[in-house]
């Protein structure tokens, strides 16, 4: 006889000896509460492949002037991290409930953007969903009013939308580090922790973003990095000026060269 069943029978008999049929019933109920059966556990969806999307070898590093949208190129990454969370549901006096295990996924990787230095990122999309918007508040407000003139934003105008964008930006910046592509930028600490001190490239002269444990659940189930698009702002190149005595024939410029 299984151990739990034997103890349950012992409670029933003991209750019967002490209180007759009523005592046996009480003993049986107590045994049912203490030794409630365990229901089989359940597991949520789980990904099979945790390898990160590989980068495209030989892809050009774009040169950007002004504001431009680019897909970027993955230049480094770790295997996708899987985190299991177990909780018990359906617990009652007569049942221990069911253990339910769910899985969450996090990605750590770096994306090359373009030749640097840049002024910064303007916007970022994941599967066409905005996840970062660094435009000035007045530009956002103007675009909202122009795009949706029929919408009543309430007494605060687009203030609520701008507040939500600011919260969204904070979430993005908590997992993303933006490197402007300067000639003196240091290696990223996350990459350095993976490959070892002194072995991590600094990617100087190249603008890139490092994501550290980006939660993938927000983009739908699957251990898959979303399709990302980045709007980058890079200073326009300086336009050379002709000498002061140039007569617009180009002669002086050619002679100076």
């Amino acid at each position: 006889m299984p151990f739990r069943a034997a103890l349950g029978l012992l409670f029933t008999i003991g209750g019967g000896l002490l209180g007759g049929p009523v005592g046996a019933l009480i003993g049986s109920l107590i045994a049912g509460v203490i030794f409630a059966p365990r229901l089989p556990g359940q597991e949520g969806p789980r990904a099979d492949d945790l390898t990160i999307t590989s980068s495209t070898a030989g892809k050009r590093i774009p040169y950007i002037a002004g504001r431009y949208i680019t897909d970027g190129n993955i230049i480094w990454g770790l295997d996708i991290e899987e985190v299991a969370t177990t909780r018990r549901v359906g617990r009652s006096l007569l049942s221990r409930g069911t253990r339910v295990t769910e899985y969450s996924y996090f990605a750590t990787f770096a994306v090359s953007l373009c030749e640097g230095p840049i002024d910064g990122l303007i916007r970022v999309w994941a599967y066409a969903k905005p996840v970062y918007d660094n435009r000035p508040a007045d530009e956002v407000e103007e675009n909202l009013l122009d795009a949706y003139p029929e919408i009543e934003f309430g007494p605060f105008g687009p203030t609520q939308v701008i507040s939500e964008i600011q919260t969204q930006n904070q979430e993005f910046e908590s997992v993303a580090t933006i490197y402007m592509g300067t000639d003196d930028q240091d290696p990223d600490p996350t990459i350095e922790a993976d490959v070892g001190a002194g072995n991590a490239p600094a990617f100087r002269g190249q603008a890139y973003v490092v994501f550290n444990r980006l939660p993938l659940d927000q983009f739908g189930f699957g251990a898959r990095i979303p399709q990302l698009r980045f709007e980058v702002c890079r200073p326009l190149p300086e336009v050379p000026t002709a000498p002061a005595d140039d007569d617009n024939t180009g002669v002086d410029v050619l002679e100076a060269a």
Side-chain angles (χ1 to χ4, degrees):
M1 178 181 295
F3 179 69
R4 289 179 178 274
L7 287 178
L9 181 60
L10 181 62
F11 269 85
T12 303
I13 295 175
L17 293 176
L18 295 176
V22 175
L25 177 61
I26 294 174
S28 177
L29 291 176
I30 293 175
V33 172
I34 298 177
F35 305 108
R38 290 183 178 177
L39 299 177
Q42 299 179 359
E43 287 196 357
R46 188 176 187 182
D48 296 326
D49 185 8
L50 299 181
T51 56
I52 203 166
T53 304
S54 59
S55 60
T56 303
K59 186 173 182 179
R60 300 189 307 271
I61 300 175
Y63 177 89
I64 291 174
R67 289 169 63 162
Y68 186 80
I69 297 177
T70 177
D71 294 334
N73 183 37
I74 296 178
I75 53 177
W76 169 85
L78 300 176
D79 285 346
I80 292 175
E81 177 185 356
E82 180 183 78
V83 176
T85 303
T86 301
R87 56 190 176 91
R88 192 178 295 276
V89 298
R91 177 177 290 185
S92 66
L93 288 177
L94 300 179
S95 172
R96 293 192 175 191
T98 303
R99 291 169 60 91
V100 177
T101 302
E102 298 175 331
Y103 297 92
S104 300
Y105 297 93
F106 301 84
T108 298
F109 59 101
V111 181
S112 170
L113 301 178
C114 63
E115 181 180 331
I118 63 174
D119 285 341
L121 281 181
I122 305 299
R123 286 179 290 181
V124 180
W125 298 266
Y127 291 138
K129 171 189 174 183
V131 295
Y132 182 72
D133 191 339
N134 196 34
R135 292 175 297 170
D138 56 350
E139 180 181 341
V140 175
E141 181 175 345
E142 181 181 353
N143 288 347
L144 285 173
L145 295 175
D146 289 344
Y148 307 103
E150 73 282 1
I151 294 181
E152 294 292 338
F153 287 99
F156 302 103
T159 302
Q160 179 65 30
V161 177
I162 294 175
S163 177
E164 293 174 357
I165 290 175
Q166 291 172 343
T167 301
Q168 172 186 273
N169 290 352
Q170 291 174 357
E171 295 175 353
F172 178 86
E173 291 169 351
S174 69
V175 298
T177 303
I178 304 169
Y179 290 89
M180 302 297 187
T182 60
D183 292 332
D184 59 352
Q185 64 189 13
D186 294 325
D188 178 76
T190 303
I191 299 178
E192 199 167 39
D194 174 47
V195 301
N199 297 323
F203 299 107
R204 289 174 178 160
Q206 182 176 347
Y208 68 106
V209 181
V210 176
F211 292 92
N212 188 3
R213 300 191 78 244
L214 173 68
L216 300 180
D217 298 346
Q218 59 184 312
F219 309 116
F221 169 73
R224 185 183 299 107
I225 295 175
Q227 181 183 6
L228 297 169
R229 304 199 76 191
F230 305 85
E231 183 178 11
V232 180
C233 180
R234 189 175 189 276
L236 292 171
E238 295 184 4
V239 178
T241 58
D245 59 348
D246 186 15
D247 60 1
N248 293 326
T249 61
V251 176
D252 294 337
V253 176
L254 293 175
E255 290 178 353

